[in-house]
Every structure is written in C-alpha cells, then in structure tokens.
Amino acid sequence: MLLTNGRIYTLDGRGTIADTLVVRDGRVAFAGRRADVNAAPGEEIVDLGGRAALPGLVDAHGHLMHLARLRLTLDLRGADSEEDAARRVGERAARLPKGEWISGRNWDQNLWPGARFPSRASLDRAAPDHPAALVRIDGHATWANSAALHAAAITRATRDPEGGLVARDAAGEPTGLLVDTAQRLLHGVEPRPTDEQFDRAVRECVADCLAAGLTGIHEMGAELYALASYRRLLERGEFPFRNYVAVAGRSASTWAQYRERGPERIGDGRLAIGALKLMADGALGSRGAALHEPYCDDPGNSGLVLMDGPEVERLTLEALGLGFQVCVHAIGDRANTLVLDAFERALARTPRPDHRLRVEHAQILTDRDVPRFARLGVLPSMQATHCTSDMAWAAERLGPERVRGAYAWRSLLATGVIIAGGSDFPVESPNPFHGIPAAVTRRPRDHVDVRSRRPSDGQGEPETDVRSRRPSDGRGEPETDRGWQPEQRMTREEAVRSFTTWNAYASRQERELGSLEPGKQADVVVLSEDVVTCDEARIPEIRPVLTLIGGEVVHRAPGWSEV
Ligand SMILES: [Zn+2]
C-alpha cells in the first residue's frame, strides 16, 4: 500500500514530515517524498487528500478487562425517570439474544419525578424476554422484571428472608423490588458472564478504542481470565489491537502463574505480557492517596499505603530477575517517595542498566522526588485527563504548597525524563483526543476559550503574545483560559509523543513501534484534522478516518472511500 498526499508526522528523531508512506509486509518500507519512490506493481495507492497522519496512538495506562466488565453491566446513572431507565434496558435487550440476563446498576428513584420506587411493569414492557436485575446506586435494592422473578422462583408465596423484603402490591404480588438480603434470591440464579459474553465485550471495547484512534494500550493489571479471552480472540483473528500487559500483582494466582511462565509474546507480539503491576496506595478523590502530611480537608487522615517499601523492593527484584518490567501505582507524595526508595534500593542491590521501571500516575511529587526519576531512570506514566478532572478540588485536598507538585509534567520533563501518556480508562474516556488537549491546555474540555474564536498557529504561544493580539474589549482574559497551573502544560509535540514514541519506549517496543520509520510496524492513524496545527478547541473533535495496524486496515470512518 502506498499512502500519499498526506501530512505524515513520522516522529523520527528529526521530526520529519513526509507526504508519502509505503507499507510492505506489514511494515513501513518508505517514508518521504512521493517523487522519491515508485509504487510496486499491483500496489494499492491511497490518496490521503492532504490529511494528517500519525504513528498509531497507544494508551500507556488502560484497563481493557475492567472496561469489558463494565460493558456487561448496564449503567443507569443519569436516567431521569423510571421510563427512561426501562427504555435503556429495552435498548440493551434489543442487542441480546432472548433469555440472556441484563445486569444493571446505579438507578436512583430519588432523582425521578415523584421519587417512587420502580416496579416490574415498566421493565416487562421494555424487555419482556430478558431477565433483568438492576441494582440501586447504593447496592441496597434490586429492581427486577417478571422474567427475572420467574427465573428465581419468586412468587406471592415467597416469604421475606431475614433482613430483607420482597416488595408487594395491594394484591400481594411481588412488585419486582427486592430490598437488602432479599436481593440474594435473585443474585443466586443470575449467571456470571460466560466466556462468550466476555469475549464479545472485549471485541466491542477494542472496536471503541480503534474508533477513538488508539492502536494499542498498556493494560495495567490484567488477570488470567482476561488474558485467556484475549488469547482466544487472537487465535480466531478477532483481536485487531496491540496489548502490552502488566499482570495484576494483587491477583495472587495471576502472578503465581506468570512467575513460572515468564514474559510472553503471543500473536507476533500483538499480546505481550511483559510487566508486573503493583499498587502502593489509593486515589486522591477518595482520600486514599498516601501523603507525607495529612489531607488539608481531612486533618486526621494521610491516606493509605497498600504495599510497604520492602515488599515493593522484593517484588521488583523478583520480577526484574524474571525479565518483567515493573509498574507501580503511586498517587500521593508519600507513596511516590516509598516507591522511588524501593526502586533505588533494588537497583543498588542488583544494578540493571535498562530496567525501565515505571511509576503509574506519579501524581503528587515533592520537590525532592521530581529529579529522582531522571536520576534513577524511572519512567513516570501519567494521565492528563486526571489533571483536568481533579483540578476543581485537588487544591482543597492538598493545599497551596503541595498542589504545585501535582500533575507536574513540565517539572518532570525539565529533568530530562519522558512521560508515558494514558487515560486510566474506564476511569476516564479512552479517547486520546481528550488526553492530548488536557495535556496541552490543562483546561476541562467544556471550557470555552476566547482563543477558540481566533485562528491559531498551533504553537504553544507565550501568554503575552496572545494578549497583545487580542482586540481590547475591556473584559480581559479570564484566568482559567490559561489553564490550571499553566506553567506545567505540555507542547503539542510532547503531548503527541506521550501517546506514541514515549509509550513505545516505556514498553520496550521502541524498535517496533512509536514512529513511522522504515522497518517498524505500519501502525498508522489518518486523522480528520491535523492535531498539530488545528485550533486547540478542535482537538477533542478529531477522529481517525483510517487506521492501520501492522499494515492491515482495522478501522475506517464511514464515508471514507479511498481504501
Ligand atoms: Zn489504573
């Protein structure tokens, strides 16, 4: 295949922009000017129509297993009436074979007109042929339809269990609402997802990731059942994606098995099991991130350490010795110190020149710890959208001093490290065109910027230039237009590299992936707009129009007719 008439950002060391890319045997054979290459006989020629193309985008911290699990559970959050919730159940039912269960969560009748508990009647109308069991947002009640009650043999004769209630109408018939322990009557018969269901959910999640522009992920903590699913799908040719997996250290059976097997490459490396994922602390939102000093908004609490330093050190040495990379979740400053200390001790005991140890999140750092990443060769793996999601309340938790070390991308880059970029989906969207603008602007996506009405040159312009070019309307620029802690922003090139070349390095795949250079895998995304030069406000709207993985077309936008 010969792709031509494009603006192809190769992301090679010189920042070459090519107009033509030749793909042979799944790899890049040429990247350069059309005039310098001839199509081989029978080679397909694709006119990119001036569009921009990038190396395949990779999310360095995603959870495909969790995304698939969530997909099998209908999320009813946001339903604004019983009818609306039932309608969503009906939509799900329309896509499932008759008789298959629908599990759901997160309805809340207090948000509905009249605040009345729902009943089976609405569900029976929407989904008569699929047993449905929908758990209330607090987990204390389940709303079921007649098919589910029937499957669980719940009738007017069923007695209320100890600590539970089968709600009944005036005639004594169960209404479909099961409270507290009565929920067990249902959940005992509700089947767990089958392999087939899980496989299907994984396939759909991969399709969503491809449609967002990803060609691969680093999965931070997969368990055996998920790995078995990916393997089945690969064998059937139904896994058109790259997954670099860190096995879940907190699943003892998973690590026990991989400690014996060692790292694996399956399907020509499409599925590569190469790392161990550990967790050192919790998260900032739930005040579980381990801090050196207590939370400003919770003075008795300084967070939770989930794994102590000696254990991180021991497992790091064990995993490195077996050829695994190690990726440790650390959000709070105390957890980051703990992990860096453990890495430092491990490397002092057994020096390894190319260990590529990673800290996942590296979210809150002390001034003292910032330069230790570069010094130790440890890679921070960070999620720009966490910054824009947390910025509204991070300062309340941390106070004005500590918050300066939060999501401190520029401080880290200035020490010479690279930052692996990701989303932590399903916590955030897997869409890399949410992550890139978050990194570049440190503003939430819904922020309306005065600059968006003005043509942009695409460069991160110094603030003074912007001000001087702005017509004086007397209102001045709202402070938020500059983003939160704007001195920590990334440039567009850095943000793009944090989803391409830097992630290839952070998974030891830089010889195969990350840039479009001869010999590397032909993983390419052709974009609806040029992410490097388009107006900032347009970046979240960018979609891939054509995606290749290993030279194969894996995604094509509707209406794209060139291929
Ligand atoms: Zn995560």
Side-chain angles (χ1 to χ4, degrees), residues 440-493:
V440 171
T441 67
R442 292 174 75 101
R443 286 194 307 261
R445 263 190 323 289
D446 55 12
H447 176 78
V448 179
D449 184 350
V450 288
R451 269 178 290 189
S452 65
R453 296 201 296 266
R454 184 165 296 126
S456 158
D457 63 6
Q459 305 304 314
E461 342 162 61
E463 195 55 27
T464 47
D465 289 1
V466 180
R467 280 179 197 281
S468 62
R469 289 211 324 259
R470 177 163 299 129
S472 154
D473 58 7
R475 288 182 302 144
E477 184 191 27
E479 186 57 24
T480 50
D481 275 2
R482 301 177 60 232
W484 186 71
Q485 300 183 334
E487 64 281 2
Q488 296 290 351
R489 288 180 297 204
M490 291 191 201
T491 66
R492 288 209 202 183
E493 191 194 332

Side-chain angles (χ1 to χ4, degrees), residues 96-222:
L96 293 176
K98 282 186 183 182
E100 210 162 281
W101 281 70
I102 297 171
S103 306
R105 282 200 83 86
N106 295 332
W107 57 270
D108 182 355
Q109 87 288 352
N110 287 325
L111 306 175
W112 299 346
R116 275 187 308 275
F117 273 114
S119 79
R120 63 191 160 103
S122 56
L123 289 179
D124 289 349
R125 283 193 297 274
D129 303 316
H130 299 74
L134 314 169
V135 180
R136 193 177 182 277
I137 192 155
D138 63 0
H140 286 278
T142 294
W143 169 28
N145 63 0
S146 296
L149 295 177
H150 179 74
I154 297 170
T155 66
R156 57 183 301 141
T158 304
R159 281 195 297 183
D160 290 346
E162 181 86 21
L165 171 79
V166 178
R168 296 161 209 271
D169 62 18
E173 291 291 338
T175 65
L177 190 77
L178 305 165
V179 182
D180 284 325
T181 60
Q183 298 178 92
R184 294 182 199 151
L185 300 172
L186 252 196
H187 296 156
V189 298
E190 187 181 350
R192 294 172 142 317
T194 62
D195 286 355
E196 194 191 344
Q197 287 171 319
F198 189 76
D199 290 356
R200 186 174 61 213
V202 169
R203 270 200 328 261
E204 291 171 359
C205 292
V206 165
D208 284 355
C209 288
L210 291 171
L214 294 175
T215 55
I217 60 167
H218 303 170
E219 181 161 7
M220 285 299 121

